[in-house]
Amino acid sequence: MSTARWLALATLCAASPAAAADGDALRPVQVAGDHLTLGGYFQPGYVAVKDTPFDNDDADGFQFGNARLTARGRLQATKQLEAGLRFDVEAGQGALQVRDLRGTLAWFDGALAVDVGQFKVPFLLAELTSESRLQFAAPTDVDRLSYGRDRGLQVRAARTLGGVHLGAQLGVFNGEGQNVSGNPDDDYTYAGRVEVHPLGEVSEGEPDLDGSPLRVAVGGSFLYSPTVARKDLSLGDAGAEEWRAAGELRLKWRGLSVRGEFVTAQLSGDSAAQEYGRRAFYAQAGYVLPLDFVPKLELVARFARYDLNDEEDGYVPVGDRLQFEVQDNAETQQVDVGLNAYVVGHRLKVMLMYRLTDFQEGAEVDEDRDVLIGDTFYAFLQLGWL
């Protein structure tokens, strides 16, 4: 869509409160009937961090959570076969970056589908939930144990039988990460996920904005990489073999939403330095207040703890003593509380969050008994054509 079209839509939203209230000005634009849909969302915000002598990243400032342009294409090839295209571009980092670029063949109204291209690896619910449908202004660091996006192929299936919704995904990927064009090591990463919704399908987004009847979902996922190529968690991971597994639970009921996830991983390699595990979990809840006015208000809270290396505590030898330098290797705890205001659902919302971060091993406090990572306040707006 042209820049002028985007500006026109934004101007319409700002100039017409009635249009914003019913969401018409924030709907995606459909081209050629419903065969091509153009949309996007923007998440500008402000982050304030309490200064500490230890933390070099404690500066305050304005940030972008996401600035996404999206395109969805569909073509009914035959009565039972539909072809699709998904194209997402991120502009929030100062340059356009491809996030999702995948083609899909789907049969029997999506009951069976094959995706090929670049998209999210089917591991960890926290990562698979759309960034536009979250209930916290910032993700938990447990998300670092997801695998993000990669290039590959997956088969997925979803079906509701007798009121029970079932879903499964299985894929093979290069293992090199987002926007890496080739696979130089000839090895692949394998991932899969299953989920069961015994009382009917649970909607994808984190909050329960629709006041759902009781809905529960349980699931699990795995990931295997014979030779780790990515170095996003540790430089020492490269070349190691890694297994990851995760279990998940989520619930929605009359404005209440609860979800949690546990992740474990084990690495093994040629040296003792590559023999270690990872552990992480989070639990979160939100409640949309039963108030009959706009915006809808939601109270949220989350607890998370993660350890990216269970054999290390962040200390490294410096001469004849130990010094706390690798904070990623220390077990860390995060507590988040927040308030959200949904003006037009996820299309127009304001998200406020306060975070406390504490190390659970290593140098837990400084010499003055103060925490090493200062409390952080987040304030974000989301404006989206979703």
Side-chain angles (χ1 to χ4, degrees):
M1 192 188 328
S2 69
T3 302
R5 188 73 178 276
W6 278 109
L7 291 175
L9 284 172
T11 302
L12 175 61
C13 177
S16 175
D22 64 20
D24 286 345
L26 297 173
R27 295 187 182 279
V29 176
Q30 292 187 332
V31 181
D34 61 351
H35 294 292
L36 179 62
T37 302
L38 306 178
Y41 57 94
F42 180 41
Q43 298 168 330
Y46 181 78
V47 180
V49 187
K50 182 179 179 182
D51 295 343
T52 64
F54 174 81
D55 187 11
N56 294 324
D57 298 321
D58 55 13
D60 305 338
F62 295 94
Q63 297 184 12
F64 293 161
N66 284 283
R68 197 75 58 87
L69 300 176
T70 65
R72 307 286 184 268
R74 58 178 295 273
L75 174 65
Q76 194 71 42
T78 69
K79 184 177 180 179
Q80 299 294 346
L81 173 63
E82 180 179 291
L85 169 70
R86 176 173 179 144
F87 185 32
D88 290 5
V89 178
E90 173 64 39
Q93 305 303 317
L96 293 178
Q97 294 183 344
V98 175
R99 288 296 184 92
D100 292 295
L101 179 54
R102 79 183 190 201
T104 298
L105 294 177
W107 292 266
F108 312 112
D109 295 325
L112 177 65
V114 176
D115 302 311
V116 60
Q118 177 172 288
F119 46 91
K120 291 180 178 179
V121 175
F123 178 78
L124 201 65
L125 175 65
E127 167 69 12
L128 294 175
T129 304
S130 170
E131 292 97 323
S132 66
R133 302 185 183 278
L134 305 179
Q135 62 186 166
F136 288 88
T140 170
D141 284 345
V142 172
D143 286 14
R144 297 178 62 187
L145 279 169
S146 71
Y147 225 67
R149 291 170 169 85
D150 208 334
R151 297 187 178 185
L153 178 146
Q154 76 171 357
V155 178
R156 52 188 170 89
R159 198 66 183 257
T160 299
L161 301 172
V164 178
H165 182 77
L166 307 171
Q169 298 164 268
L170 182 63
V172 55
F173 301 87
N174 285 342
E176 305 295 326
Q178 178 178 294
N179 293 332
V180 178
S181 59
N183 183 25
D185 60 9
D186 293 334
D187 289 323
Y188 297 93
T189 294
Y190 305 88
R193 179 172 174 267
V194 296
E195 57 181 350
V196 180
H197 307 220
L199 302 178
E201 186 175 3
V202 182
S203 56
E204 175 209 6
E206 289 186 343
D208 183 21
L209 298 179
D210 299 323
S212 306
L214 181 61
R215 294 286 185 266
V216 179
V218 294
S221 52
F222 82 93
L223 184 143
Y224 172 66
S225 181
T227 55
V228 175
R230 302 161 67 157
K231 304 175 183 179
D232 49 344
L233 296 179
S234 170
L235 294 177
D237 290 355
E241 179 184 34
E242 182 178 19
W243 279 97
R244 296 185 189 183
E248 66 192 58
L249 170 68
R250 50 185 167 135
L251 174 151
K252 291 185 178 181
W253 182 59
R254 296 184 179 179
L256 173 68
S257 57
V258 178
R259 67 170 57 192
E261 202 159 7
F262 175 80
V263 191
T264 182
Q266 186 63 47
L267 285 88
S268 58
D270 295 333
S271 66
Q274 289 184 325
E275 300 285 344
Y276 61 89
R278 313 189 204 273
R279 305 289 184 271
F281 75 91
Y282 71 89
Q284 67 187 60
Y287 182 61
V288 179
L289 300 180
L291 304 175
D292 189 21
F293 63 82
V294 176
K296 292 184 178 181
L297 301 178
E298 181 190 33
L299 300 173
V300 294
R302 179 171 60 195
F303 179 86
R305 183 175 289 188
Y306 63 94
D307 190 351
L308 302 183
N309 188 323
D310 62 7
E311 295 293 329
E312 302 286 345
D313 59 7
Y315 281 106
V316 297
V318 177
D320 58 354
R321 64 186 181 88
L322 294 175
Q323 183 169 311
F324 186 69
E325 288 190 356
V326 188
Q327 68 181 62
D328 277 354
N329 286 343
E331 185 177 2
T332 305
Q333 175 178 292
Q334 293 176 331
V335 177
D336 301 325
V337 293
L339 172 67
N340 302 321
Y342 300 91
V343 182
V344 189
H346 291 290
R347 295 174 182 170
L348 180 57
K349 65 182 178 182
V350 177
M351 311 176 76
L352 308 176
M353 190 183 89
Y354 194 83
R355 168 171 288 176
L356 294 84
T357 301
D358 295 290
F359 293 119
Q360 302 300 297
E361 63 179 357
E364 299 179 20
V365 295
D366 64 18
E367 57 187 15
D368 296 322
R369 309 300 298 173
D370 293 325
V371 297
L372 300 180
I373 306 297
D375 298 353
T376 307
F377 173 74
Y378 301 81
F380 276 80
L381 167 72
Q382 177 166 294
L383 180 65
W385 288 263
L386 302 169

